[in-house]
Amino acid sequence: MSVTTPQTQAQRTESGLLSTRPVWLVGILATLAGAVVTEAFALVARAAGVPMEAASPGATEAAEIPVGGFFGGVLFWSVAGIVLAVVLARWAERPARTFTVTTVALTALSLVGPAVAPHTATSTQIVLAASHVVAAAVVVPLLARRLSHVRH
């Protein structure tokens, strides 16, 4: 006879809930969570007085980043992450590890954009770069945890 403690039951429920959902669904839920957290981070920065104006490479002046812009950015870029997770779940030998290494490298690479954004205040560049890390800190672990349950 096995004894189920509340702790082991909670661990089983968390693991089971995550491990039984399709990778794409976990990706969508992780993306929504990441988008909300990142937008909240940006709203705090905006309230603290960080100018939310940035320019793309080649632009002659900065444009305002609208409220909701960070949310939309996370949604847009996370599509590639979800596709990557689904592909790795299907064909990678170690999908969680491959996903984590790849997405950490891509997140590091994404920090170049804010660093070289012309006509953009340094405080804004810092918030933009930090927002990439915030989004990745929410989305990547959730998808990696789901991918760790993939068995071939």
Side-chain angles (χ1 to χ4, degrees):
M1 177 167 106
S2 78
V3 176
T4 304
T5 65
Q7 182 181 11
T8 58
Q9 183 63 37
Q11 289 169 340
R12 192 175 303 142
T13 302
E14 176 187 328
S15 177
L17 179 66
L18 187 62
S19 66
T20 59
R21 301 293 179 243
V23 172
W24 63 266
L25 179 59
V26 173
I28 289 171
L29 296 173
T31 295
L32 291 173
V36 168
V37 170
T38 305
E39 185 64 33
F41 170 76
L43 289 172
V44 168
R46 191 182 300 267
V50 175
M52 288 299 160
E53 294 180 346
S56 299
T60 57
E61 62 183 47
E64 183 175 349
I65 301 169
V67 171
F70 287 79
F71 186 93
V74 173
L75 292 181
F76 180 81
W77 289 106
S78 291
V79 169
I82 294 168
V83 170
L84 175 64
V86 169
V87 167
L88 292 174
R90 173 84 178 174
W91 288 293
E93 188 172 320
R94 296 172 59 192
R97 180 169 174 21
T98 305
F99 179 79
T100 301
V101 168
T102 303
T103 54
V104 167
L106 290 172
T107 300
L109 183 61
S110 78
L111 301 179
V112 172
V116 300
H119 314 291
T120 304
T122 302
S123 59
T124 306
Q125 290 174 316
I126 292 168
V127 167
L128 289 169
S131 72
H132 291 204
V133 175
V134 167
V138 174
V139 177
V140 172
L142 291 171
L143 267 168
R145 184 177 299 165
R146 170 58 185 92
L147 289 170
S148 71
H149 295 287
V150 171
R151 302 289 174 239
H152 291 282

